[in-house]
Amino acid sequence: MPVFHTKTIESILDPVAQQVSQLVILHEEAEDGNAMPDLSRPVQAVGAAVNNLVMVGRETAAGSQDKILKQELPLALTRVEETSGFLVEASMMLRDDPFSVPARKKLIDGARGILSGTSALLLAFDEAEVRKIIRICKSVLEYLAVAEVVESMPDLVTFVKNLTPGMTSMSKAIDNREQELIHQVHKEKLAHSMKTVKNLTAVLISGIKIFVTTKQTGGRGVAEAAENRNYVVTKMSQEIHEIIRILQLTTYDEEGWDMDDLTVMQKAQAGIQGKLDLARDWLNNPYAEPGGLGERSIPGIVEEARLIASRLDGPEREKIETIADELASMSDRLAKLRAQGLGNSPEALQLAQGIQERLDYLNGHINSVVSQYAHSGVRKPAPTVTGKIEQAQHWLTAPYVNDGGLGQQALREVIGEGRKVAAGCTGPEKERLNRLCDEVERMTNQLADLCAKGQGHTPQAQAIARQLSTKLNELKDAIQQSLVNQVAEDFIDPYTPLKLFSNAARAPLGTPNREAEFQSKAAAFDKHANKLATTAQRVAEAGSYADKKVVEKLLAQSQQLRELTPQIIYAGRILLENPGNEAASEHFEMLKKEWTSQMEQLIGSVDNATDTVSFIQATEEALKRDNEMVNQAIHNRQPAHIVNGASNMARRGKRVVDVARQEIENSEDPNFVAKVGKSTEDLERTINPLVITCKSLAMNPGDKAAGEAWYDGSTNMIHCVVNVRDAIIKSQEERYPRPPKSPEPIPEEAFPPPPDMSQLHISEAGLNRPLEHQLGYEGKDQVDRGKATTTQVPLPPLPPLQPSQQQRTSEVAVIPPIPSQPAVSPPSQPAVSLPSQPVAVTPPIPPSPPLPEAIYATPSKPKSQYRASPTLSSPTPSASSVARSSPGLDGRMSADSGYGHAQYRASPIFPSSPTPSGTSSSAWIPPVPVSPPQTTRTQLPSPQSSVPSPVSDMSGGMTARSPPPPPAPPAPPSPQQLQQQKQKQQHRARTPQGGDDFQEFYKELDTVLDSILTAPDQVYHRDMYSAHGPPRPDVSDAVPPRPPLPQQEYLPPRPPPPEESEDEMEVHFPKPQADQPIMSAAYSLHVEAQKWSSKDNEIVAAAKKMALLMAKMSRLVRGEGGTKKELIDCAKAIAVASEEVTRLAREVANQCTDKRMRTNLLQVCERIPTISTQLKILSTVKATMLGAQGSDEDQEATEMLVGNAQNLMQSVKETVRAAEAASIKIRTDSGHTMRWVRKRPWYL
């Protein structure tokens, strides 16, 4: 199957795949009855190219010394020749018979063979090149073992001369290979390992030199020098083995971590392989030198085996641990015998043979276990606390779903991490962390017990899950805040212990307590270094920074610091024992420089992974505590405490300065640089005066002038630290304003309770009574309370009708007679005061615009002047509803806003006319009550009335067709029915979604994608769509039937708000099942993209489009419909969308002023085009396999396609996250128009 780990392979396979895809499409079209075109000429060109390739390949194999290449290359060449012959035969047969079925079969077989055969041929060549580089690496490894036998300066010179050419060749080969690789992660790891080997080479030469010198002079420290030398050799060997491992990789998992169980086991497996040869050589030599690399290799193998066992469970773990313990015990006994000169004794020989057998068995067993684990698909908790909490929250949303215990395991590991962090805290902070861990553990146990009993869907389990989710977030915040406090405390002064240890190692002979002082400073230095490494490891595993590269870098740097610290102590011991030895001094300084460089890198990574504002705030609190301690020491006349507290304050101030300068160097915003730079300079100027004042106080704690100077200086320093923090925050807020917050959810208490329905009465006679009597006792109170703030609105008179309007009387609603005492006065009378809530009513609302006649009129049917439409009463007596019920406010007639019946309002179709007052308003219609379901025919008011008659007929009234009696509404559901509906919903939630859901989804998906792919340049506007999808059709003149009137005595439930669709890509995406890996990858990207609105955000829109396209590809690959052409076109569309995402991400990166964010975004998005190109090639391969499902080749092609799709979706998801983060650091005046608006959650 094709592999795409080098640029050469990709550049050759891409055009071949394009040609093969055309053949596949022609073949499919021929199956539909179309004639095949003449392919003689293109096939002849392909045949000529294949013949040339075969000739070159055979010449290469003949001249190569690689036995494996000589075996594999002829097979690949033969396969390519055969498939080329199929193509030639098929073209000849199709020329004679364009409809020949056997010819089409040969054509597709030839196309499949050309692609796979070319891939196998290229892979064989590439593997041969890799083996060349590996041979160079192994030659360097073998020569490194010679370092332990170098015992003189001439030997050292010879060693260096022989080592240099191999190192140079390996470096050149690695550099060339690095440029050829496609995967950025592999390139970075190769470069890092090669750089480490180069740096350690100088340290190795220095270590061998100090070993030779101390041994020749007969001085002490030979053992420590040997430890230094062996450490460097071992470290270089490990890095070279890592280079070999990376060279053999052809794929990369975007979701993989160096901390993953499989990656850790594979690295340990490679380490065992590299140490086996040294161990076997040592076992076969009874007279081997004690303490050599061979003897040390067996404990190394045991350590690697235990590391693998720690990542396993069950009997496999116990078996490996048992063998490891036996090997450790037997190797110790053999080493003692050989140290006594008894290496050739029967017991020693028997032990060596037993160790050899166990090593071979352990190696084979570990190879088998690692291979099984790689194909098992076992899911483990994420490496970081952030990832573990995401897995736990996913389980808490549906605890009744069986996730294989992943959510519970992740929860318990979070609790363990919290307790580890608490172990490094003191006081209330430690108590709070432990308390939170205990609470989370207690609720986890309760929920786990309910789930074990099958009660995960019960209300009790749901309540516990909600509480646990909240408490888990609280624990996460507490862990992260504690880590920030630990970073601010532990990294206050990372270099002073090394300086003190260096002074102790360089103490001249005769210094009192020289040895004791060295031991004390060495212990303090070792403790300090390990503490810093532990804190850095905690920040990586439990911190808030989730970037994989930063986390893995932190872990690697902390481990290197742990390994290098003992070597510094050994070098210091050599210097202490040989004070006049220049080689010892140079060696110590070299290691010291290496340790300092590692510490600088570690501090930079820790600061990068820690929020700057939180760090400065924690430092500010620590400064206040130190200041209080110094003030208390001044009061108690304690010079030592004064010095300690003041020194801590000066160091903390220096740390804030360093962190602020890192932020300045990382930013390209001149405003940010200027403001933060000024505040940083002010802080830096306060440090030296504070130190000088501290010295004065230490010499004379009672000096009042010094005490006042101290008070002013310490206060000024704390104030400057606050200014630095404020400068960072304000500069970011000014240039990068935060998006508007989502509105807070309205609590239920904010809504007034519904009125007592028994107190409300609406009747024709009741409308003549005063309003307070209509509303009952409670309504009267509301009217009384609202009189003070009620505005009276004058109502305009009804304008006279035009002659053209008077003719439209064919279908007019019958208006019931107006009572002798109207409920609402005409414009000449005072208006009724509005009741309910105290809301000010505005003056008369401008008239509604005339409705288009085309909506309600057709040539065959006369138009009506009024259209009756039912209006359901509002469930709450709000002021707005009462205002709307008043006549004339909107130019329409509406009845009282009562609670029991639906009312009717007449909407004027004719344009409004000027009122007598000169203002334009719609016709004013007095309120007329309607009592359904009876039909009335009455007279309108007489001409003497103050209200003119709008339309007159023969009887002087208005006619209308009353609707028929409406059917009775359904009865409200009973409590038993509600409980049954709830149980059905819970059952559907627990039941995996089956084929029906996906069939509906596929239909919707095809509709959406057709609209996207057929009109890629069309701009979709929100007003083009209704609340539920496509544009509304033309509305005919037919008025829709009126809904039935409610007859029940209870308030109808409020309908849910319509779901607003932002764009054409909003589809209901069902949750995929376990056997849908490509769909799962698409769903993961879909969920991430759905967090953001795609309006004015092209990256989110493109990501959503890619998720839908990948969902379609999942269906095509699974054979659930579609054609080969659709599969190929879908892959091409994904590639186009990938290019769009990459282009947009680069634009965001170019405008981002944060260098780290920009670099991260560019590195993430650069992977997308390569992966999308690979997807096109793999889709073509899969298309050629659609007629041969079930074969090994088809299975392999599917697995590669699945892995590629997962990598692509993961890369796009990371790009979306990185682009959102980088958009925060884009200046508002840059012209950037991409908006990141988080969608409102469902509960708001």
Side-chain angles (χ1 to χ4, degrees):
M1 284 296 103
V3 291
F4 320 94
H5 58 289
T6 67
K7 297 177 181 178
T8 301
I9 294 179
E10 183 180 14
S11 63
I12 295 176
L13 282 184
D14 189 20
V16 173
Q18 293 180 12
Q19 298 298 325
V20 171
S21 65
Q22 295 299 323
L23 292 178
V24 172
I25 294 173
L26 290 174
H27 174 270
E28 189 173 43
E29 292 176 351
E31 291 180 346
D32 297 334
N34 298 325
M36 290 288 293
D38 187 6
L39 302 175
S40 301
R41 288 189 176 182
V43 168
Q44 289 177 0
V46 171
V50 168
N51 294 333
N52 185 34
L53 178 65
V54 170
M55 181 182 64
V56 174
R58 286 176 176 169
E59 291 177 356
T60 303
S64 175
Q65 301 296 325
D66 191 338
K67 297 181 179 179
I68 299 178
L69 180 64
K70 289 186 174 183
Q71 293 176 356
E72 295 180 351
L73 198 57
L75 298 177
L77 293 173
T78 303
R79 183 175 183 181
V80 172
E81 280 186 309
E82 291 178 354
T83 53
S84 176
F86 289 161
L87 288 178
V88 173
E89 294 178 7
S91 64
M92 295 175 63
M93 296 171 65
L94 289 172
R95 185 176 56 186
D96 298 336
D97 183 7
F99 299 94
S100 174
V101 175
R104 293 204 308 265
K105 185 177 183 304
K106 281 193 174 185
L107 180 69
I108 197 65
D109 291 341
R112 183 190 308 128
I114 282 289
L115 191 56
S116 59
T118 305
S119 174
L121 188 63
L122 295 174
L123 182 61
F125 277 116
D126 185 75
E127 289 179 346
E129 293 298 321
V130 170
R131 285 192 291 270
K132 290 180 182 178
I133 304 175
I134 291 177
R135 282 196 294 269
I136 298 174
C137 295
K138 287 186 175 180
S139 65
V140 175
L141 275 175
E142 293 174 357
Y143 196 73
L144 283 177
V146 180
E148 65 177 345
V149 300
V150 177
E151 297 182 353
S152 63
M153 294 305 295
D155 293 343
L156 176 59
V157 172
T158 303
F159 175 80
V160 173
K161 287 182 178 181
N162 294 335
L163 180 64
T164 302
M167 293 291 296
T168 303
S169 300
M170 183 175 69
S171 177
K172 289 182 179 180
I174 296 300
D175 291 342
N176 294 334
R177 184 65 179 179
E178 176 192 346
Q179 300 298 324
E180 180 69 12
L181 291 179
I182 288 178
H183 301 300
Q184 183 67 27
V185 176
H186 294 170
K187 298 170 64 174
E188 293 175 355
K189 288 183 177 180
L190 273 182
H192 173 73
S193 296
M194 194 64 234
K195 181 179 178 181
T196 303
V197 170
K198 292 178 181 179
N199 295 337
L200 289 175
T201 303
V203 181
L204 173 63
I205 297 173
S206 177
I208 297 175
K209 183 179 179 180
I210 189 61
F211 173 78
V212 171
T213 303
T214 54
K215 189 171 184 179
Q216 288 180 349
T217 58
R220 293 186 297 178
V222 177
E224 288 79 3
E227 287 292 337
N228 275 169
R229 178 200 63 192
N230 293 339
Y231 161 76
V232 178
V233 172
T234 303
K235 187 66 177 176
M236 291 179 68
S237 301
Q238 291 176 355
E239 293 296 337
I240 295 175
H241 281 298
E242 179 67 8
I243 290 174
I244 294 174
R245 186 185 73 85
I246 297 171
L247 287 173
Q248 295 174 325
L249 296 177
T250 57
T251 58
Y252 173 68
D253 185 5
E254 294 289 339
E255 297 183 357
W257 287 67
D258 285 345
M259 299 181 293
D260 287 343
D261 291 342
L262 180 60
T263 305
V264 171
M265 287 192 291
Q266 288 176 343
K267 287 185 176 181
Q269 181 186 17
I272 291 175
Q273 296 290 337
K275 297 180 178 68
L276 276 177
D277 292 338
L278 291 173
R280 289 166 180 162
D281 293 341
W282 181 73
L283 291 173
N284 294 330
N285 184 9
Y287 306 102
E289 185 73 18
L293 293 174
E295 180 181 336
R296 293 165 59 88
S297 63
I298 296 180
I301 292 174
V302 171
E303 183 180 356
E304 301 285 3
R306 286 174 176 165
L307 180 60
I308 293 175
S310 65
R311 303 289 176 146
L312 298 172
D313 298 318
E316 297 295 342
R317 176 173 184 169
E318 297 177 358
K319 184 182 295 185
I320 294 177
E321 288 179 344
T322 301
I323 299 174
D325 293 340
E326 293 176 357
L327 280 173
S329 176
M330 295 173 67
S331 62
D332 289 342
R333 288 165 52 194
L334 180 60
K336 290 179 181 179
L337 289 174
R338 291 189 174 182
Q340 297 172 1
L342 301 176
N344 204 20
S345 63
E347 182 182 2
L349 295 176
Q350 186 177 1
L351 280 173
Q353 183 178 359
I355 293 173
Q356 179 72 45
E357 294 174 356
R358 283 166 174 76
L359 280 176
D360 294 339
Y361 178 78
L362 178 66
N363 181 41
H365 185 67
I366 285 178
N367 292 339
S368 175
V369 167
V370 173
S371 177
Q372 292 177 3
Y373 190 90
H375 293 86
S376 63
V378 178
R379 295 185 62 195
K380 290 292 186 73
T384 63
V385 168
T386 303
K388 291 182 176 70
I389 289 178
E390 289 182 359
Q391 293 174 334
Q393 293 286 12
H394 181 72
W395 173 63
L396 292 177
T397 57
Y400 45 81
V401 177
N402 182 16
D403 64 346
L406 180 63
Q408 294 185 32
Q409 188 178 356
L411 258 174
R412 299 189 187 280
E413 290 190 7
V414 171
I415 296 171
E417 292 292 339
R419 289 190 170 129
K420 289 179 183 179
V421 174
C425 303
T426 57
E429 188 177 24
K430 182 175 183 178
E431 295 177 0
R432 178 170 179 262
L433 269 176
N434 287 327
R435 175 178 55 81
L436 287 173
C437 290
D438 294 339
E439 293 177 357
V440 172
E441 186 176 25
R442 175 178 55 80
M443 288 188 285
T444 301
N445 293 333
Q446 294 176 356
L447 185 59
D449 292 340
L450 290 175
C451 292
K453 297 176 183 178
Q455 301 176 2
H457 61 283
T458 60
Q460 181 183 3
Q462 297 292 335
I464 294 176
R466 288 192 295 269
Q467 296 175 5
L468 183 54
S469 177
T470 303
K471 192 64 65 175
L472 188 61
N473 290 328
E474 187 178 350
L475 175 61
K476 174 186 176 182
D477 296 338
I479 289 174
Q480 293 176 357
Q481 184 59 45
S482 298
L483 286 174
V484 172
N485 295 336
Q486 289 185 21
V487 170
E489 190 65 33
D490 295 343
F491 285 85
I492 180 177
D493 185 21
Y495 303 108
T496 297
L498 177 59
K499 295 178 182 178
L500 297 176
F501 172 71
S502 178
N503 295 334
R506 293 184 178 278
L509 293 173
T511 303
N513 300 323
R514 184 169 178 263
E515 180 66 26
E517 186 71 11
F518 177 83
Q519 293 287 351
S520 174
K521 294 299 186 288
F525 170 65
D526 184 67
K527 181 180 179 181
H528 173 74
N530 282 282
K531 185 177 182 180
L532 295 182
T534 301
T535 302
Q537 182 179 354
R538 292 283 174 267
V539 170
E541 295 175 349
S544 59
Y545 208 82
D547 185 76
K548 180 172 66 173
K549 185 179 298 184
V550 174
V551 171
E552 292 178 348
K553 187 177 181 180
L554 261 177
L555 292 173
Q557 290 171 346
S558 61
Q559 182 63 28
Q560 291 175 3
L561 192 70
R562 283 196 180 96
E563 295 174 352
L564 190 57
T565 299
Q567 308 307 317
I568 296 284
I569 297 176
Y570 289 147
R573 168 62 68 179
I574 297 172
L575 183 60
L576 183 72
E577 299 294 344
N578 303 273
N581 193 329
E582 293 185 3
S585 178
E586 293 176 0
H587 181 66
F588 178 75
E589 288 298 326
M590 182 176 292
L591 288 177
K592 182 179 172 182
K593 182 179 179 181
E594 181 70 18
W595 190 93
T596 303
S597 176
Q598 293 287 345
M599 178 56 67
E600 290 175 354
Q601 296 177 15
L602 182 66
I603 292 175
S605 299
V606 169
D607 291 343
N608 187 21
T610 306
D611 181 66
T612 303
V613 176
S614 299
F615 171 79
I616 297 177
Q617 190 172 3
T619 304
E620 177 187 340
E621 297 298 328
L623 281 171
K624 294 178 181 179
R625 293 193 301 267
D626 292 337
N627 188 29
E628 183 65 25
M629 183 184 69
V630 173
N631 292 335
Q632 188 67 27
I634 293 173
H635 181 269
N636 297 333
R637 307 293 179 87
Q638 298 173 330
H641 290 76
I642 293 175
V643 173
N644 291 336
S647 299
N648 287 341
M649 292 187 68
R651 295 185 185 111
R652 295 185 197 279
K654 185 65 169 58
R655 276 283 290 146
V656 174
V657 169
D658 294 339
V659 171
R661 283 179 174 166
Q662 289 180 9
E663 292 296 321
I664 293 173
E665 294 175 358
N666 183 58
S667 177
E668 294 181 349
D669 184 0
N671 178 72
F672 179 86
V673 171
K675 291 187 175 181
V676 178
K678 183 179 181 304
S679 59
T680 303
E681 292 175 358
D682 294 341
L683 174 60
E684 190 174 17
R685 283 194 292 265
T686 65
I687 297 176
N688 289 335
L690 194 72
V691 174
I692 295 173
T693 306
C694 168
K695 292 180 180 179
S696 300
L697 282 174
M699 291 185 294
N700 185 10
D703 188 351
K704 292 185 178 180
E708 293 177 358
W710 166 262
Y711 177 80
D712 294 339
S714 61
T715 304
N716 188 26
M717 172 179 281
I718 296 175
H719 180 69
C720 289
V721 170
V722 175
N723 289 342
V724 172
R725 173 169 58 87
D726 291 343
I728 294 176
I729 295 175
K730 291 180 180 179
S731 298
Q732 292 177 350
E733 290 179 350
E734 290 175 0
R735 293 297 177 181
Y736 322 109
R738 296 181 179 274
K741 294 184 178 179
S742 300
E744 296 292 335
I746 302 176
E748 295 182 0
E749 294 79 4
F751 295 99
D756 187 2
M757 299 300 298
S758 63
Q759 301 297 326
L760 299 179
H761 304 280
I762 298 178
S763 63
E764 181 176 344
L767 291 175
N768 299 327
R769 295 183 299 163
L771 189 60
E772 58 268 21
H773 293 291
Q774 297 179 29
L775 296 177
Y777 180 75
E778 296 180 359
K780 183 179 184 302
D781 291 343
Q782 294 176 2
V783 171
D784 293 340
R785 291 192 299 268
K787 281 181 179 180
T789 58
T790 305
T791 302
Q792 295 182 352
V793 181
L795 303 177
L798 182 68
L801 296 178
Q802 301 295 332
S804 59
Q805 296 172 346
Q806 295 179 0
Q807 298 176 2
R808 307 174 192 169
T809 58
S810 59
E811 295 181 10
V812 184
V814 175
I815 307 298
I818 300 177
S820 58
Q821 296 179 355
V824 180
S825 302
S828 60
Q829 301 177 4
V832 178
S833 299
L834 299 179
S836 185
Q837 302 175 359
V839 179
V841 181
T842 60
I845 302 175
S848 303
L851 298 177
E853 295 184 359
I855 296 180
Y856 299 108
T858 58
S860 62
K861 196 169 186 178
K863 294 173 285 188
S864 300
Q865 288 179 322
Y866 296 94
R867 179 170 59 93
S869 61
T871 304
L872 291 179
S873 58
S874 173
T876 57
S878 62
S880 60
S881 62
V882 177
R884 286 194 301 270
S885 68
S886 300
L889 294 182
D890 59 352
R892 301 176 184 178
M893 182 214 66
S894 60
D896 189 3
S897 60
Y899 297 95
H901 301 281
Q903 308 298 327
Y904 291 92
R905 62 184 179 184
S907 303
I909 279 184
F910 51 81
S912 58
S913 302
T915 61
S917 60
T919 60
S920 176
S921 175
S922 299
W924 175 76
I925 303 297
V928 179
V930 180
S931 301
Q934 65 183 1
T935 305
T936 61
R937 183 181 181 89
T938 59
Q939 295 290 333
L940 287 175
S942 61
Q944 290 77 12
S945 174
S946 58
V947 181
S949 174
V951 179
S952 300
D953 60 3
M954 291 184 300
S955 60
M958 297 180 65
T959 61
R961 293 188 179 93
S962 176
S974 63
Q976 293 80 5
Q977 293 174 341
L978 292 174
Q979 183 66 22
Q980 292 176 0
Q981 294 176 0
K982 186 176 182 181
Q983 291 177 356
K984 290 180 180 179
Q985 293 176 356
Q986 293 176 349
H987 176 71
R988 285 196 298 267
R990 294 192 303 270
T991 304
Q993 299 180 2
D996 294 340
D997 290 341
F998 277 98
Q999 291 301 325
E1000 295 296 329
F1001 167 66
Y1002 289 149
K1003 292 179 182 178
E1004 187 178 6
L1005 180 66
D1006 290 339
T1007 303
V1008 172
L1009 289 179
D1010 287 343
S1011 64
I1012 297 173
L1013 298 178
T1014 55
D1017 298 331
Q1018 181 178 356
V1019 180
Y1020 294 89
H1021 298 284
R1022 186 180 180 85
D1023 55 4
M1024 294 174 57
Y1025 287 85
S1026 66
H1028 297 281
R1032 298 184 179 91
D1034 293 338
V1035 181
S1036 64
D1037 62 324
V1039 178
R1042 288 187 289 266
L1045 300 176
Q1047 300 292 336
Q1048 62 270 26
E1049 296 182 357
Y1050 61 88
L1051 287 174
R1054 178 178 294 176
E1059 297 181 359
E1060 296 185 357
S1061 178
E1062 290 187 343
D1063 50 44
E1064 74 282 2
M1065 288 180 290
E1066 297 291 342
V1067 298
H1068 173 65
F1069 207 126
K1071 188 174 182 180
Q1073 301 180 18
D1075 60 343
Q1076 296 176 307
I1078 299 181
M1079 184 70 74
S1080 299
Y1083 179 78
S1084 176
L1085 176 59
H1086 173 78
V1087 171
E1088 180 66 27
Q1090 284 295 106
K1091 296 178 183 178
W1092 306 99
S1093 170
S1094 57
K1095 185 178 181 180
D1096 297 331
N1097 193 315
E1098 294 176 297
I1099 288 184
V1100 173
K1104 292 179 180 180
K1105 179 180 178 180
M1106 289 187 67
L1108 299 181
L1109 288 170
M1110 191 60 71
K1112 180 178 181 180
M1113 176 167 284
S1114 173
R1115 180 185 62 173
L1116 296 172
V1117 171
R1118 289 169 59 87
E1120 298 175 353
T1123 62
K1124 301 174 184 178
K1125 183 179 184 300
E1126 290 182 358
L1127 176 60
I1128 296 171
D1129 291 343
C1130 183
K1132 292 180 179 179
I1134 292 175
V1136 173
S1138 300
E1139 294 177 358
E1140 181 69 9
V1141 171
T1142 305
R1143 181 186 64 82
L1144 295 170
R1146 287 173 179 167
E1147 291 179 0
V1148 173
N1150 293 334
Q1151 295 177 351
C1152 179
T1153 60
D1154 190 291
K1155 296 178 182 178
R1156 287 193 295 265
M1157 289 184 177
R1158 178 198 305 160
T1159 302
N1160 180 47
L1161 178 56
L1162 289 175
Q1163 290 177 346
V1164 170
C1165 72
E1166 288 297 335
R1167 301 196 296 260
I1168 296 178
T1170 299
I1171 303 176
S1172 62
T1173 301
Q1174 297 172 4
L1175 183 69
K1176 288 194 301 182
I1177 300 175
L1178 288 172
S1179 300
T1180 302
V1181 175
K1182 181 62 181 177
T1184 63
M1185 299 289 179
L1186 289 180
Q1189 287 89 345
S1191 63
D1192 294 339
E1193 290 184 350
D1194 176 67
Q1195 182 67 24
E1196 187 178 357
T1198 303
E1199 291 177 357
M1200 295 186 67
L1201 187 60
V1202 167
N1204 186 272
Q1206 292 173 340
N1207 287 342
L1208 181 58
M1209 295 292 98
Q1210 181 65 21
S1211 295
V1212 175
K1213 184 164 66 173
E1214 292 179 3
T1215 301
V1216 172
R1217 293 176 178 175
E1220 187 273 331
S1223 297
I1224 299 175
K1225 293 298 182 73
I1226 295 179
R1227 294 176 49 147
T1228 56
D1229 57 357
S1230 64
H1232 184 67
T1233 59
M1234 188 176 295
R1235 299 175 63 244
W1236 292 85
V1237 180
R1238 188 176 290 274
K1239 284 189 175 180
R1240 181 182 299 180
W1242 63 270
Y1243 51 80
L1244 293 182

